[in-house]
Amino acid sequence: MALSPTDQCIVLPFQPGTAQAFNGTGLALHFLLGNVLVLHTGLKEMWFGWRVKKIFPEKASFQHYCRHAANQLDLIQVSRSQKVRFWLYGSYADTSIKLHFFDGETPEADHPPADLAITLDDGLVGFRSQLIQWLDSLGRPMPEDQVTASLWPEAISREGLDAVGRALELFYVYSAYGGDGPLAVSPFKKAAATAPDSFMAQDLYGWAPYRNRNYKAARGAFLTSLRINPAGAGAMSGMMWCGVYDKDLEEALFWSGRKADVCRQDVQAAREAGRRRYAKANP
């Protein structure tokens, strides 16, 4: 089935299975797959972080969803209210994730779930390859060049996954519901120190000082993450926004165009959008 690039897809945080104690793995791997799907040229970019408070109006409901398998979403209702067609959701155990696909246009359709083995010894390349093969079997193939870009080696341990996921939960909570004072950076530093060669850890570390308007520190982390994963579209967005808010027009335009090129979008149109963002932020 041909896809329109206007079709949006959100990857929900993966929940602990019924016999699985909560740790950060489900959130970390949700973050990883979001960074894969942003490269899928058949889908419109749609990060879960943009919609946290709209899907979960209260902080407690969000945290309960992340931490307890019994807390489920009414995806038919949520898909309609958010006007998002596709949703990936599932549950994790020590060695695998049970992944489900929901299509809001055909909610009655029965899509076979996938059991994705968590393969840390190969940098989670096999884990992501299983996802891509599963999407292909559902009639939603990813172009070959984008497949290659999405399979960077993600060097991370189980301790690293836990640290990244817990830091990501804090970031979502702070961004969606606020907090007292600046965002605490120490959990993000811990994740980056635990997994220094992980794109996810370094990219996420960049967003913490960015949230606190420390753009110099944010740039350093984003650039480190991009040396690990040159197709890190999320980190490129971070670099673009650093340029916008730090009043560096050339930086904002460069990273707007670079991200568009990586995502196989119109580079000139993206640079013009970056110029408009800059002008709006710096009247």
Side-chain angles (χ1 to χ4, degrees):
M1 181 178 71
L3 278 179
S4 164
T6 60
D7 287 327
Q8 297 172 329
C9 181
I10 286 182
V11 183
L12 290 166
F14 301 128
Q15 300 175 286
T18 52
Q20 175 70 47
F22 170 78
N23 61 61
T25 297
L27 279 148
L29 294 178
H30 134 87
F31 188 50
L32 177 66
L33 295 194
N35 277 282
V36 170
L37 290 190
V38 72
L39 299 174
H40 196 311
T41 53
L43 298 172
K44 185 176 181 181
E45 181 179 350
M46 178 53 58
W47 298 99
F48 171 73
W50 297 347
R51 298 291 181 101
V52 174
K53 195 170 184 179
K54 293 179 179 179
I55 299 171
F56 301 97
E58 298 177 352
K59 178 174 73 172
S61 63
F62 165 64
Q63 291 183 307
H64 287 161
Y65 181 85
C66 292
R67 293 169 176 265
H68 303 287
N71 287 271
Q72 298 295 314
L73 281 175
D74 181 346
L75 284 177
I76 294 177
Q77 187 277 327
V78 172
S79 183
R80 289 172 180 166
S81 67
Q82 299 305 308
K83 297 180 172 60
V84 174
R85 179 178 178 184
F86 299 126
W87 301 78
L88 294 184
Y89 66 100
S91 59
Y92 64 92
D94 282 341
T95 60
S96 65
I97 282 185
K98 185 83 165 184
L99 193 59
H100 300 269
F101 183 90
F102 178 83
D103 183 346
E105 286 192 1
T106 58
E108 71 285 351
D110 183 18
H111 301 287
D115 286 302
L116 308 186
I118 300 171
T119 59
L120 298 181
D121 57 342
D122 67 352
L124 288 164
V125 169
F127 175 76
R128 283 167 282 163
S129 296
Q130 294 170 78
L131 166 76
I132 292 164
Q133 292 166 12
W134 179 60
L135 290 175
D136 187 47
S137 75
L138 296 176
R140 294 164 180 89
M142 193 170 182
E144 193 59 40
D145 58 340
Q146 297 303 87
V147 170
T148 300
S150 72
L151 295 179
W152 73 92
E154 181 66 17
I156 195 165
S157 64
R158 293 199 175 274
E159 293 77 14
L161 287 175
D162 184 39
V164 166
R166 291 178 187 273
L168 181 63
E169 183 186 38
L170 290 174
F171 184 80
Y172 285 154
V173 167
Y174 186 90
S175 299
Y177 311 103
D180 297 325
L183 174 62
V185 177
S186 55
F188 302 85
K189 285 185 176 179
K190 176 183 177 182
T194 304
D197 298 317
S198 159
F199 164 77
M200 289 192 292
Q202 298 296 337
D203 176 33
L204 185 57
Y205 180 28
W207 287 105
Y210 170 85
R211 183 62 68 191
N212 292 338
R213 301 182 182 179
N214 182 349
Y215 301 119
K216 181 179 179 180
R219 283 186 182 94
F222 288 140
L223 289 173
T224 297
S225 76
L226 288 166
R227 284 192 286 271
I228 299 167
N229 170 22
M236 292 176 192
S237 287
M239 290 295 295
M240 182 274 294
W241 285 113
C242 284
V244 167
Y245 290 120
D246 217 15
K247 299 184 178 180
D248 187 331
L249 177 59
E250 287 308 309
E251 181 178 50
L253 296 184
F254 174 83
W255 288 106
S256 294
R258 179 71 188 122
K259 179 188 171 188
D261 183 51
V262 162
C263 294
R264 301 297 183 259
Q265 297 169 348
D266 186 322
V267 171
Q268 189 57 40
R271 285 174 61 88
E272 288 305 314
R275 189 182 297 276
R276 291 193 296 273
R277 292 187 185 103
Y278 183 92
K280 183 176 180 180
N282 301 286

